[in-house]
């Protein structure tokens, strides 16, 4: 199976505050590409979020905003099967960031490994 795994981290409780994005592309069961970006959300950081992911405001200083990064990310998602653990969160972060930056949604299908795991649990 070919797919792209996605994972966002946010600076605070706002879904538009993406401060990190990781993507892993898998082709025929083999990891073919890994990408990790720090993102300057231009928003405040909450201590609770920092405690979860360890990303601080100083780490994103000088990094691209989501809008600046999008031209590099979009081709990696367009037409893909995108997989995320708790996809409701990651897809909402993507939508909020795209809305805030005025970009169109890419065309892809997505799966949630959290829901798939619950469905297959005894």
């Amino acid at each position: 199976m070919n797919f792209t795994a996605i994972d966002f981290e946010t600076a605070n409780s706002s879904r538009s505050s993406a401060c990190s994005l990781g993507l892993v592309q898998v082709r025929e069961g083999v990891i073919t590409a890994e990408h990790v970006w720090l993102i300057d959300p231009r928003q405040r950081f909450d201590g609770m979020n920092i405690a979860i992911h360890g990303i601080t405001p100083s780490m994103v200083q000088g990094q691209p905003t989501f809008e600046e990064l999008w031209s590099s990310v979009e081709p990696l998602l367009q037409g893909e099967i995108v997989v995320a653990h708790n996809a409701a969160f990651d897809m909402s972060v993507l939508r909020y960031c795209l809305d805030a930056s005025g970009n169109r949604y890419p065309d892809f299908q997505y799966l949630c490994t959290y829901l798939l795991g619950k469905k297959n649990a005894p």
Side-chain angles (χ1 to χ4, degrees), residues 43-109:
Q43 295 185 34
R44 65 177 167 67
F45 277 69
D46 284 347
M48 184 177 83
N49 291 62
I50 294 170
I52 292 169
H53 52 58
I55 300 166
T56 64
S58 65
M59 293 169 70
V60 302
Q61 190 173 20
Q63 298 298 317
T65 63
F66 180 86
E67 184 174 8
E68 294 166 337
L69 186 62
W70 181 240
S71 64
S72 297
V73 175
E74 182 181 22
L76 302 173
L77 297 176
Q78 188 66 36
E80 288 289 313
I81 296 173
V82 177
V83 176
H85 193 71
N86 191 12
F89 173 78
D90 292 292
M91 294 303 110
S92 69
V93 171
L94 179 60
R95 283 191 304 272
Y96 274 75
C97 288
L98 289 169
D99 290 346
S101 64
N103 286 294
R104 295 185 338 190
Y105 297 175
D107 182 29
F108 63 79
Q109 296 178 356

Short mmCIF file of all heavy atoms in Angstrom, two decimals, residues 43-109:
data_model
loop_
_atom_site.label_atom_id
_atom_site.label_comp_id
_atom_site.label_asym_id
_atom_site.label_seq_id
_atom_site.Cartn_x
_atom_site.Cartn_y
_atom_site.Cartn_z
N GLN A 43 1.75 32.81 16.80
CA GLN A 43 0.78 32.80 17.89
C GLN A 43 1.52 32.45 19.17
O GLN A 43 2.62 31.93 19.15
CB GLN A 43 -0.32 31.76 17.63
CG GLN A 43 -1.19 32.04 16.43
CD GLN A 43 -2.32 31.05 16.30
OE1 GLN A 43 -2.86 30.56 17.29
NE2 GLN A 43 -2.68 30.73 15.07
N ARG A 44 0.86 32.69 20.28
CA ARG A 44 1.45 32.39 21.57
C ARG A 44 1.53 30.87 21.77
O ARG A 44 0.78 30.11 21.18
CB ARG A 44 0.63 33.01 22.70
CG ARG A 44 -0.75 32.42 22.80
CD ARG A 44 -1.58 32.95 23.96
NE ARG A 44 -2.95 32.57 23.82
CZ ARG A 44 -3.43 31.33 23.90
NH1 ARG A 44 -2.63 30.33 24.15
NH2 ARG A 44 -4.71 31.09 23.76
N PHE A 45 2.46 30.45 22.59
CA PHE A 45 2.59 29.05 22.97
C PHE A 45 2.03 28.85 24.37
O PHE A 45 2.29 29.66 25.26
CB PHE A 45 4.07 28.63 22.98
CG PHE A 45 4.61 28.25 21.63
CD1 PHE A 45 4.78 29.20 20.64
CD2 PHE A 45 4.95 26.94 21.35
CE1 PHE A 45 5.29 28.86 19.40
CE2 PHE A 45 5.46 26.58 20.12
CZ PHE A 45 5.63 27.55 19.14
N ASP A 46 1.27 27.79 24.57
CA ASP A 46 0.77 27.43 25.89
C ASP A 46 1.73 26.42 26.51
O ASP A 46 2.23 25.52 25.82
CB ASP A 46 -0.62 26.78 25.80
CG ASP A 46 -1.73 27.78 25.55
OD1 ASP A 46 -1.48 29.00 25.68
OD2 ASP A 46 -2.84 27.35 25.21
N GLY A 47 1.94 26.55 27.81
CA GLY A 47 2.82 25.64 28.52
C GLY A 47 2.40 24.19 28.39
O GLY A 47 3.25 23.29 28.30
N MET A 48 1.10 23.94 28.37
CA MET A 48 0.61 22.56 28.24
C MET A 48 1.05 21.94 26.91
O MET A 48 1.50 20.80 26.86
CB MET A 48 -0.91 22.50 28.36
CG MET A 48 -1.45 21.08 28.34
SD MET A 48 -3.23 21.02 28.57
CE MET A 48 -3.77 21.32 26.90
N ASN A 49 0.96 22.72 25.83
CA ASN A 49 1.38 22.21 24.53
C ASN A 49 2.88 21.98 24.49
O ASN A 49 3.35 20.96 23.97
CB ASN A 49 0.95 23.17 23.43
CG ASN A 49 -0.55 23.21 23.25
OD1 ASN A 49 -1.27 23.58 24.17
ND2 ASN A 49 -1.03 22.81 22.09
N ILE A 50 3.64 22.90 25.05
CA ILE A 50 5.10 22.73 25.10
C ILE A 50 5.44 21.46 25.87
O ILE A 50 6.33 20.70 25.46
CB ILE A 50 5.77 23.97 25.73
CG1 ILE A 50 5.60 25.18 24.83
CG2 ILE A 50 7.27 23.70 25.99
CD1 ILE A 50 6.03 26.50 25.47
N ALA A 51 4.72 21.20 26.97
CA ALA A 51 4.99 19.99 27.76
C ALA A 51 4.70 18.72 26.96
O ALA A 51 5.36 17.70 27.16
CB ALA A 51 4.14 20.00 29.04
N ILE A 52 3.77 18.78 26.05
CA ILE A 52 3.42 17.61 25.23
C ILE A 52 4.48 17.34 24.18
O ILE A 52 4.96 16.22 24.02
CB ILE A 52 2.03 17.78 24.58
CG1 ILE A 52 0.94 17.74 25.65
CG2 ILE A 52 1.78 16.72 23.51
CD1 ILE A 52 -0.43 18.16 25.16
N HIS A 53 4.86 18.39 23.42
CA HIS A 53 5.75 18.15 22.28
C HIS A 53 7.15 18.71 22.42
O HIS A 53 8.04 18.35 21.65
CB HIS A 53 5.12 18.66 20.98
CG HIS A 53 4.63 20.07 21.01
ND1 HIS A 53 5.42 21.15 21.31
CD2 HIS A 53 3.39 20.56 20.76
CE1 HIS A 53 4.70 22.25 21.22
NE2 HIS A 53 3.45 21.92 20.91
N GLY A 54 7.38 19.57 23.39
CA GLY A 54 8.73 20.09 23.62
C GLY A 54 9.18 21.19 22.69
O GLY A 54 10.33 21.61 22.72
N ILE A 55 8.28 21.69 21.85
CA ILE A 55 8.64 22.75 20.91
C ILE A 55 8.37 24.10 21.59
O ILE A 55 7.28 24.34 22.10
CB ILE A 55 7.83 22.63 19.61
CG1 ILE A 55 8.11 21.27 18.94
CG2 ILE A 55 8.17 23.78 18.65
CD1 ILE A 55 7.15 20.91 17.84
N THR A 56 9.38 24.96 21.59
CA THR A 56 9.29 26.25 22.27
C THR A 56 9.26 27.39 21.24
O THR A 56 9.66 27.20 20.08
CB THR A 56 10.49 26.46 23.20
OG1 THR A 56 11.68 26.51 22.41
CG2 THR A 56 10.59 25.34 24.24
N PRO A 57 8.83 28.58 21.68
CA PRO A 57 8.82 29.71 20.75
C PRO A 57 10.19 29.99 20.13
O PRO A 57 10.28 30.33 18.95
CB PRO A 57 8.37 30.89 21.64
CG PRO A 57 7.57 30.25 22.72
CD PRO A 57 8.23 28.92 22.98
N SER A 58 11.25 29.85 20.90
CA SER A 58 12.59 30.13 20.35
C SER A 58 12.97 29.14 19.25
O SER A 58 13.73 29.48 18.34
CB SER A 58 13.64 30.15 21.46
OG SER A 58 13.76 28.87 22.04
N MET A 59 12.43 27.93 19.32
CA MET A 59 12.75 26.93 18.30
C MET A 59 12.12 27.25 16.94
O MET A 59 12.66 26.86 15.90
CB MET A 59 12.31 25.54 18.76
CG MET A 59 13.08 25.02 19.95
SD MET A 59 12.36 23.54 20.67
CE MET A 59 12.68 22.33 19.40
N VAL A 60 10.99 27.94 16.94
CA VAL A 60 10.32 28.26 15.67
C VAL A 60 10.66 29.65 15.15
O VAL A 60 10.27 30.01 14.04
CB VAL A 60 8.78 28.07 15.76
CG1 VAL A 60 8.43 26.65 16.18
CG2 VAL A 60 8.15 29.08 16.70
N GLN A 61 11.37 30.41 15.95
CA GLN A 61 11.76 31.76 15.52
C GLN A 61 12.59 31.66 14.25
O GLN A 61 13.57 30.91 14.18
CB GLN A 61 12.54 32.46 16.62
CG GLN A 61 12.76 33.92 16.35
CD GLN A 61 13.39 34.62 17.55
OE1 GLN A 61 13.98 33.98 18.41
NE2 GLN A 61 13.27 35.92 17.60
N GLY A 62 12.19 32.38 13.22
CA GLY A 62 12.91 32.36 11.95
C GLY A 62 12.50 31.22 11.02
O GLY A 62 12.98 31.15 9.89
N GLN A 63 11.63 30.34 11.48
CA GLN A 63 11.14 29.24 10.63
C GLN A 63 10.00 29.77 9.76
O GLN A 63 9.39 30.78 10.06
CB GLN A 63 10.66 28.07 11.49
CG GLN A 63 11.74 27.44 12.34
CD GLN A 63 12.85 26.84 11.49
OE1 GLN A 63 12.62 26.20 10.47
NE2 GLN A 63 14.09 27.08 11.91
N PRO A 64 9.68 29.06 8.66
CA PRO A 64 8.60 29.54 7.79
C PRO A 64 7.24 29.45 8.48
O PRO A 64 7.04 28.62 9.37
CB PRO A 64 8.67 28.59 6.59
CG PRO A 64 9.36 27.37 7.08
CD PRO A 64 10.30 27.82 8.17
N THR A 65 6.33 30.30 8.06
CA THR A 65 4.95 30.19 8.47
C THR A 65 4.32 29.05 7.67
O THR A 65 4.90 28.57 6.68
CB THR A 65 4.17 31.48 8.19
OG1 THR A 65 4.15 31.69 6.76
CG2 THR A 65 4.78 32.68 8.90
N PHE A 66 3.13 28.62 8.07
CA PHE A 66 2.45 27.59 7.30
C PHE A 66 2.25 28.04 5.86
O PHE A 66 2.48 27.27 4.92
CB PHE A 66 1.09 27.24 7.93
CG PHE A 66 0.37 26.17 7.17
CD1 PHE A 66 0.61 24.83 7.41
CD2 PHE A 66 -0.54 26.51 6.18
CE1 PHE A 66 -0.03 23.84 6.68
CE2 PHE A 66 -1.19 25.53 5.45
CZ PHE A 66 -0.94 24.20 5.70
N GLU A 67 1.84 29.29 5.68
CA GLU A 67 1.62 29.81 4.33
C GLU A 67 2.89 29.71 3.48
O GLU A 67 2.85 29.34 2.31
CB GLU A 67 1.13 31.25 4.39
CG GLU A 67 0.78 31.83 3.05
CD GLU A 67 0.16 33.22 3.14
OE1 GLU A 67 0.13 33.80 4.24
OE2 GLU A 67 -0.30 33.71 2.10
N GLU A 68 4.02 30.05 4.07
CA GLU A 68 5.30 29.98 3.35
C GLU A 68 5.70 28.54 3.05
O GLU A 68 6.33 28.25 2.03
CB GLU A 68 6.40 30.67 4.15
CG GLU A 68 6.19 32.16 4.29
CD GLU A 68 7.07 32.80 5.35
OE1 GLU A 68 7.54 32.11 6.27
OE2 GLU A 68 7.28 34.03 5.26
N LEU A 69 5.33 27.62 3.90
CA LEU A 69 5.69 26.21 3.76
C LEU A 69 4.78 25.45 2.81
O LEU A 69 5.18 24.44 2.23
CB LEU A 69 5.66 25.56 5.14
CG LEU A 69 6.13 24.13 5.28
CD1 LEU A 69 7.59 24.00 4.89
CD2 LEU A 69 5.90 23.65 6.70
N TRP A 70 3.56 25.92 2.63
CA TRP A 70 2.54 25.16 1.93
C TRP A 70 2.96 24.71 0.52
O TRP A 70 2.65 23.59 0.10
CB TRP A 70 1.22 25.92 1.89
CG TRP A 70 0.14 25.14 1.20
CD1 TRP A 70 -0.55 25.51 0.09
CD2 TRP A 70 -0.35 23.84 1.56
NE1 TRP A 70 -1.45 24.53 -0.25
CE2 TRP A 70 -1.34 23.49 0.64
CE3 TRP A 70 -0.03 22.95 2.58
CZ2 TRP A 70 -2.03 22.29 0.69
CZ3 TRP A 70 -0.72 21.73 2.64
CH2 TRP A 70 -1.70 21.41 1.71
N SER A 71 3.66 25.52 -0.23
CA SER A 71 4.05 25.13 -1.60
C SER A 71 4.96 23.91 -1.61
O SER A 71 5.00 23.17 -2.60
CB SER A 71 4.71 26.29 -2.34
OG SER A 71 5.92 26.66 -1.71
N SER A 72 5.67 23.66 -0.52
CA SER A 72 6.50 22.45 -0.41
C SER A 72 5.70 21.25 0.06
O SER A 72 6.02 20.10 -0.28
CB SER A 72 7.64 22.68 0.58
OG SER A 72 8.49 23.70 0.14
N VAL A 73 4.65 21.49 0.84
CA VAL A 73 3.86 20.41 1.43
C VAL A 73 2.77 19.91 0.48
O VAL A 73 2.54 18.71 0.38
CB VAL A 73 3.24 20.86 2.77
CG1 VAL A 73 2.31 19.80 3.34
CG2 VAL A 73 4.34 21.20 3.77
N GLU A 74 2.11 20.82 -0.20
CA GLU A 74 0.96 20.44 -1.02
C GLU A 74 1.24 19.30 -2.01
O GLU A 74 0.46 18.35 -2.08
CB GLU A 74 0.41 21.66 -1.78
CG GLU A 74 -0.81 21.30 -2.61
CD GLU A 74 -1.37 22.47 -3.39
OE1 GLU A 74 -0.62 23.44 -3.64
OE2 GLU A 74 -2.55 22.39 -3.75
N PRO A 75 2.35 19.32 -2.75
CA PRO A 75 2.59 18.22 -3.68
C PRO A 75 2.77 16.85 -3.01
O PRO A 75 2.56 15.81 -3.63
CB PRO A 75 3.87 18.61 -4.41
CG PRO A 75 4.12 20.03 -4.09
CD PRO A 75 3.37 20.35 -2.85
N LEU A 76 3.14 16.87 -1.73
CA LEU A 76 3.33 15.62 -1.00
C LEU A 76 2.00 15.01 -0.54
O LEU A 76 1.95 13.84 -0.17
CB LEU A 76 4.23 15.85 0.21
CG LEU A 76 5.63 16.41 -0.11
CD1 LEU A 76 6.36 16.77 1.17
CD2 LEU A 76 6.42 15.42 -0.94
N LEU A 77 0.93 15.81 -0.55
CA LEU A 77 -0.39 15.35 -0.11
C LEU A 77 -1.36 15.14 -1.28
O LEU A 77 -2.24 14.27 -1.20
CB LEU A 77 -1.01 16.35 0.87
CG LEU A 77 -0.27 16.57 2.18
CD1 LEU A 77 -0.96 17.65 3.00
CD2 LEU A 77 -0.18 15.26 2.96
N GLN A 78 -1.21 15.94 -2.33
CA GLN A 78 -2.15 15.92 -3.44
C GLN A 78 -2.28 14.52 -4.04
O GLN A 78 -1.30 13.90 -4.41
CB GLN A 78 -1.70 16.91 -4.52
CG GLN A 78 -2.69 17.13 -5.63
CD GLN A 78 -3.97 17.81 -5.17
OE1 GLN A 78 -3.98 18.67 -4.31
NE2 GLN A 78 -5.08 17.39 -5.74
N GLY A 79 -3.52 14.01 -4.08
CA GLY A 79 -3.80 12.71 -4.68
C GLY A 79 -3.40 11.51 -3.84
O GLY A 79 -3.51 10.37 -4.29
N GLU A 80 -2.94 11.74 -2.62
CA GLU A 80 -2.44 10.66 -1.76
C GLU A 80 -3.54 10.04 -0.91
O GLU A 80 -4.61 10.61 -0.74
CB GLU A 80 -1.37 11.21 -0.81
CG GLU A 80 -0.06 11.54 -1.46
CD GLU A 80 0.70 10.30 -1.88
OE1 GLU A 80 0.82 9.36 -1.07
OE2 GLU A 80 1.17 10.28 -3.02
N ILE A 81 -3.24 8.91 -0.33
CA ILE A 81 -3.96 8.39 0.81
C ILE A 81 -3.15 8.87 2.01
O ILE A 81 -1.97 8.56 2.14
CB ILE A 81 -4.06 6.86 0.80
CG1 ILE A 81 -4.87 6.39 -0.40
CG2 ILE A 81 -4.67 6.35 2.11
CD1 ILE A 81 -4.88 4.89 -0.61
N VAL A 82 -3.78 9.68 2.85
CA VAL A 82 -3.11 10.28 4.00
C VAL A 82 -3.57 9.54 5.26
O VAL A 82 -4.76 9.32 5.45
CB VAL A 82 -3.41 11.79 4.09
CG1 VAL A 82 -2.78 12.40 5.33
CG2 VAL A 82 -2.92 12.50 2.83
N VAL A 83 -2.62 9.16 6.09
CA VAL A 83 -2.90 8.39 7.29
C VAL A 83 -2.44 9.20 8.50
O VAL A 83 -1.34 9.77 8.49
CB VAL A 83 -2.16 7.03 7.24
CG1 VAL A 83 -2.35 6.26 8.52
CG2 VAL A 83 -2.62 6.22 6.04
N ALA A 84 -3.30 9.24 9.52
CA ALA A 84 -2.95 9.95 10.75
C ALA A 84 -3.54 9.22 11.93
O ALA A 84 -4.58 8.56 11.82
CB ALA A 84 -3.47 11.38 10.71
N HIS A 85 -2.88 9.32 13.07
CA HIS A 85 -3.43 8.77 14.31
C HIS A 85 -4.23 9.90 14.96
O HIS A 85 -3.67 10.95 15.29
CB HIS A 85 -2.31 8.29 15.23
CG HIS A 85 -2.81 7.46 16.36
ND1 HIS A 85 -3.28 6.19 16.16
CD2 HIS A 85 -2.96 7.73 17.66
CE1 HIS A 85 -3.69 5.70 17.31
NE2 HIS A 85 -3.50 6.62 18.26
N ASN A 86 -5.51 9.69 15.10
CA ASN A 86 -6.46 10.73 15.49
C ASN A 86 -6.55 11.77 14.37
O ASN A 86 -6.28 12.95 14.55
CB ASN A 86 -6.12 11.39 16.82
CG ASN A 86 -7.24 12.27 17.34
OD1 ASN A 86 -8.36 12.23 16.84
ND2 ASN A 86 -6.93 13.07 18.34
N ALA A 87 -6.94 11.30 13.20
CA ALA A 87 -7.00 12.12 12.00
C ALA A 87 -7.92 13.32 12.15
O ALA A 87 -7.70 14.35 11.51
CB ALA A 87 -7.43 11.27 10.80
N ALA A 88 -8.93 13.23 13.00
CA ALA A 88 -9.82 14.38 13.20
C ALA A 88 -9.01 15.61 13.62
O ALA A 88 -9.27 16.72 13.15
CB ALA A 88 -10.89 14.05 14.24
N PHE A 89 -8.02 15.41 14.49
CA PHE A 89 -7.17 16.51 14.92
C PHE A 89 -6.31 17.02 13.77
O PHE A 89 -6.32 18.20 13.44
CB PHE A 89 -6.29 16.10 16.10
CG PHE A 89 -5.27 17.14 16.47
CD1 PHE A 89 -5.64 18.25 17.21
CD2 PHE A 89 -3.95 17.01 16.06
CE1 PHE A 89 -4.70 19.23 17.54
CE2 PHE A 89 -3.01 17.98 16.39
CZ PHE A 89 -3.38 19.08 17.13
N ASP A 90 -5.55 16.13 13.15
CA ASP A 90 -4.61 16.55 12.11
C ASP A 90 -5.32 17.17 10.91
O ASP A 90 -4.85 18.17 10.36
CB ASP A 90 -3.73 15.37 11.68
CG ASP A 90 -2.79 14.95 12.80
OD1 ASP A 90 -1.88 15.73 13.12
OD2 ASP A 90 -2.98 13.86 13.36
N MET A 91 -6.45 16.61 10.51
CA MET A 91 -7.19 17.17 9.37
C MET A 91 -7.77 18.54 9.72
O MET A 91 -7.81 19.43 8.88
CB MET A 91 -8.29 16.23 8.91
CG MET A 91 -7.78 14.90 8.32
SD MET A 91 -6.65 15.10 6.94
CE MET A 91 -5.12 14.55 7.68
N SER A 92 -8.19 18.72 10.97
CA SER A 92 -8.72 20.04 11.35
C SER A 92 -7.60 21.07 11.41
O SER A 92 -7.80 22.22 11.02
CB SER A 92 -9.50 19.97 12.66
OG SER A 92 -8.65 19.72 13.75
N VAL A 93 -6.41 20.68 11.87
CA VAL A 93 -5.28 21.61 11.86
C VAL A 93 -4.97 22.01 10.43
O VAL A 93 -4.79 23.21 10.13
CB VAL A 93 -4.03 21.00 12.55
CG1 VAL A 93 -2.80 21.88 12.35
CG2 VAL A 93 -4.29 20.78 14.03
N LEU A 94 -4.93 21.05 9.53
CA LEU A 94 -4.67 21.36 8.13
C LEU A 94 -5.73 22.32 7.58
O LEU A 94 -5.39 23.33 6.95
CB LEU A 94 -4.62 20.07 7.30
CG LEU A 94 -4.37 20.25 5.81
CD1 LEU A 94 -3.03 20.93 5.55
CD2 LEU A 94 -4.43 18.89 5.10
N ARG A 95 -7.00 22.03 7.82
CA ARG A 95 -8.07 22.90 7.32
C ARG A 95 -7.97 24.31 7.90
O ARG A 95 -8.08 25.30 7.16
CB ARG A 95 -9.44 22.30 7.64
CG ARG A 95 -9.83 21.15 6.72
CD ARG A 95 -11.29 20.76 6.89
NE ARG A 95 -11.66 20.43 8.26
CZ ARG A 95 -11.55 19.22 8.81
NH1 ARG A 95 -11.08 18.22 8.09
NH2 ARG A 95 -11.91 19.02 10.06
N TYR A 96 -7.77 24.42 9.21
CA TYR A 96 -7.68 25.75 9.83
C TYR A 96 -6.48 26.53 9.28
O TYR A 96 -6.58 27.73 9.04
CB TYR A 96 -7.58 25.64 11.35
CG TYR A 96 -8.92 25.55 12.04
CD1 TYR A 96 -9.66 24.38 12.02
CD2 TYR A 96 -9.44 26.64 12.73
CE1 TYR A 96 -10.89 24.29 12.66
CE2 TYR A 96 -10.67 26.57 13.37
CZ TYR A 96 -11.39 25.39 13.34
OH TYR A 96 -12.61 25.31 13.97
N CYS A 97 -5.35 25.87 9.11
CA CYS A 97 -4.16 26.55 8.58
C CYS A 97 -4.37 26.96 7.12
O CYS A 97 -3.95 28.05 6.72
CB CYS A 97 -2.93 25.66 8.72
SG CYS A 97 -2.35 25.49 10.42
N LEU A 98 -5.01 26.10 6.34
CA LEU A 98 -5.29 26.45 4.95
C LEU A 98 -6.27 27.62 4.88
O LEU A 98 -6.09 28.54 4.08
CB LEU A 98 -5.84 25.24 4.19
CG LEU A 98 -4.82 24.15 3.90
CD1 LEU A 98 -5.51 22.89 3.39
CD2 LEU A 98 -3.77 24.63 2.91
N ASP A 99 -7.30 27.59 5.71
CA ASP A 99 -8.26 28.69 5.73
C ASP A 99 -7.58 30.00 6.13
O ASP A 99 -7.80 31.04 5.49
CB ASP A 99 -9.41 28.40 6.70
CG ASP A 99 -10.34 27.30 6.21
OD1 ASP A 99 -10.28 26.92 5.01
OD2 ASP A 99 -11.13 26.80 7.04
N ALA A 100 -6.75 29.96 7.16
CA ALA A 100 -6.07 31.16 7.65
C ALA A 100 -5.10 31.73 6.61
O ALA A 100 -4.90 32.95 6.55
CB ALA A 100 -5.32 30.87 8.95
N SER A 101 -4.52 30.85 5.78
CA SER A 101 -3.55 31.32 4.79
C SER A 101 -4.19 31.56 3.42
O SER A 101 -3.51 31.98 2.48
CB SER A 101 -2.39 30.31 4.66
OG SER A 101 -2.87 29.06 4.18
N GLY A 102 -5.48 31.27 3.29
CA GLY A 102 -6.18 31.51 2.03
C GLY A 102 -5.86 30.51 0.94
O GLY A 102 -6.05 30.80 -0.25
N ASN A 103 -5.40 29.34 1.32
CA ASN A 103 -5.08 28.30 0.33
C ASN A 103 -6.22 27.31 0.19
O ASN A 103 -6.98 27.08 1.11
CB ASN A 103 -3.80 27.55 0.75
CG ASN A 103 -2.57 28.39 0.54
OD1 ASN A 103 -2.21 28.70 -0.59
ND2 ASN A 103 -1.93 28.79 1.63
N ARG A 104 -6.29 26.69 -0.99
CA ARG A 104 -7.32 25.68 -1.26
C ARG A 104 -6.92 24.35 -0.65
O ARG A 104 -5.73 24.05 -0.47
CB ARG A 104 -7.52 25.51 -2.76
CG ARG A 104 -8.08 26.75 -3.40
CD ARG A 104 -8.40 26.60 -4.86
NE ARG A 104 -7.68 25.51 -5.50
CZ ARG A 104 -7.65 25.31 -6.79
NH1 ARG A 104 -8.28 26.13 -7.59
NH2 ARG A 104 -6.98 24.31 -7.31
N TYR A 105 -7.93 23.53 -0.36
CA TYR A 105 -7.69 22.20 0.19
C TYR A 105 -7.14 21.29 -0.90
O TYR A 105 -7.66 21.29 -2.02
CB TYR A 105 -8.97 21.58 0.73
CG TYR A 105 -9.63 22.31 1.89
CD1 TYR A 105 -10.84 21.87 2.37
CD2 TYR A 105 -9.07 23.41 2.49
CE1 TYR A 105 -11.48 22.51 3.43
CE2 TYR A 105 -9.69 24.06 3.55
CZ TYR A 105 -10.89 23.60 4.01
OH TYR A 105 -11.51 24.23 5.04
N PRO A 106 -6.15 20.48 -0.58
CA PRO A 106 -5.67 19.50 -1.57
C PRO A 106 -6.70 18.37 -1.69
O PRO A 106 -7.54 18.17 -0.81
CB PRO A 106 -4.36 18.99 -0.95
CG PRO A 106 -4.55 19.19 0.52
CD PRO A 106 -5.41 20.41 0.67
N ASP A 107 -6.59 17.64 -2.78
CA ASP A 107 -7.49 16.52 -3.03
C ASP A 107 -6.79 15.23 -2.57
O ASP A 107 -5.80 14.82 -3.17
CB ASP A 107 -7.84 16.44 -4.51
CG ASP A 107 -8.81 15.32 -4.83
OD1 ASP A 107 -9.63 14.96 -3.96
OD2 ASP A 107 -8.73 14.80 -5.96
N PHE A 108 -7.28 14.63 -1.48
CA PHE A 108 -6.75 13.36 -1.02
C PHE A 108 -7.79 12.67 -0.16
O PHE A 108 -8.76 13.28 0.29
CB PHE A 108 -5.43 13.52 -0.24
CG PHE A 108 -5.53 14.33 1.03
CD1 PHE A 108 -6.03 13.78 2.21
CD2 PHE A 108 -5.09 15.64 1.06
CE1 PHE A 108 -6.09 14.50 3.39
CE2 PHE A 108 -5.15 16.39 2.24
CZ PHE A 108 -5.66 15.82 3.39
N GLN A 109 -7.58 11.38 0.06
CA GLN A 109 -8.40 10.62 0.99
C GLN A 109 -7.57 10.41 2.25
O GLN A 109 -6.35 10.37 2.19
CB GLN A 109 -8.77 9.27 0.39
CG GLN A 109 -9.62 9.37 -0.85
CD GLN A 109 -9.92 8.00 -1.44
OE1 GLN A 109 -9.44 6.99 -0.96
NE2 GLN A 109 -10.71 8.00 -2.49
#
